[in-house]
Amino acid sequence: MLHIVVHDPGPVEPWRPPAADAVSERGRGTVLFGRLAVDWGVSTGPDDGKDVWLDLPL
């Protein structure tokens, strides 16, 4: 399993659309996470920002 974590200094959680359409400018990352990853999510802590993480099978 490959565990990837990306820190984002913004306080807002990623947008989780039901599905991105052909002309959407947002939401493609979360759609890819949902299709490729075994699991993914967002972790927040006491400091600013958040960590967006995903687990990919090898």
Side-chain angles (χ1 to χ4, degrees):
M1 193 67 61
L2 176 63
H3 182 74
I4 300 171
V5 180
V6 178
H7 181 74
D8 181 347
V12 179
E13 284 200 19
W15 186 53
R16 297 177 189 226
D21 59 37
V23 296
S24 291
E25 294 182 11
R26 298 180 57 180
R28 297 194 187 286
T30 55
V31 171
L32 286 172
F33 289 174
R35 291 193 178 160
L36 298 175
V38 171
D39 197 12
W40 74 277
V42 180
S43 302
T44 58
D47 45 339
D48 61 345
K50 63 192 166 290
D51 290 333
V52 180
W53 59 269
L54 65 130
D55 292 330
L56 295 173
L58 295 177

